[in-house]
Amino acid sequence: MDDPSAVNAPSRPANRLGQWARQALNLRAPTRAHADGWALWQAACAGDQASATALVHQLTPQAHGLALQMLARREDAEDVVQEAFVRLWGARPSDAHGAQLATYFNTIVINRCKSWLVKRREFSVDPKGLTDVSDARQVANL
């Protein structure tokens, strides 16, 4: 990194991370298309701003679509994806079990969506409630 004014991606304020995510939502083509996700993540964590930007461009469209499908509100989906990136920057996976970074990231997004739905009281974590919903769906399909 030759730019002395650049700082590490993980230590950037959340609003800067949000700006990257918003840019990724508006720009379709990633700057480093299909580069290895884990290599980009390692470079971003080491402070390479271009890698961090490329990673956001690469991961955001699918993650945003997933979050939008689960939450049905664009603003909530954007917030969840931003939270997921904050968690990704802070993550130190010792073993990703051979998973691609996109799979790892989408798992973070799904878990954040579930938490968001629990906060909105639209997703029950009560086993009895989940069983009732499942039983009702099975009866409806008969």
Side-chain angles (χ1 to χ4, degrees):
M1 194 178 314
D2 297 325
D3 182 8
S5 64
V7 294
N8 293 340
S11 64
R12 290 192 179 276
N15 63 352
R16 181 71 175 143
L17 196 56
Q19 181 182 5
W20 285 342
R22 282 189 298 278
Q23 288 174 350
L25 289 172
N26 294 327
L27 300 174
R28 299 279 185 219
T31 55
R32 292 185 188 179
H34 306 295
D36 177 56
W38 288 111
L40 282 175
W41 177 77
Q42 289 174 340
C45 287
D48 182 16
Q49 183 175 353
S51 293
T53 302
L55 195 59
V56 169
H57 284 275
Q58 191 176 62
L59 296 175
T60 297
Q62 183 179 18
H64 184 262
L66 179 62
L68 187 58
Q69 184 176 12
M70 291 183 73
L71 301 174
R73 294 183 189 161
R74 183 179 177 175
E75 299 80 18
D76 291 349
E78 290 171 359
D79 288 344
V80 162
V81 171
Q82 288 178 24
E83 287 178 19
F85 272 109
V86 170
R87 289 193 179 235
L88 180 64
W89 296 139
R92 295 291 178 242
S94 59
D95 182 16
H97 302 287
Q100 293 182 2
L101 180 65
T103 303
Y104 182 81
F105 182 68
N106 287 336
T107 301
I108 295 171
V109 171
I110 289 168
N111 289 334
R112 298 308 312 144
C113 286
K114 288 178 181 179
S115 295
W116 200 272
L117 289 169
V118 167
K119 269 195 279 187
R120 285 187 352 201
R121 298 179 192 266
E122 294 180 20
F123 183 76
S124 175
V125 292
D126 173 39
K128 171 85 171 98
L130 294 175
T131 302
D132 292 344
V133 169
S134 177
D135 290 345
R137 285 189 180 170
Q138 287 178 357
V139 169
N141 290 333
L142 293 178

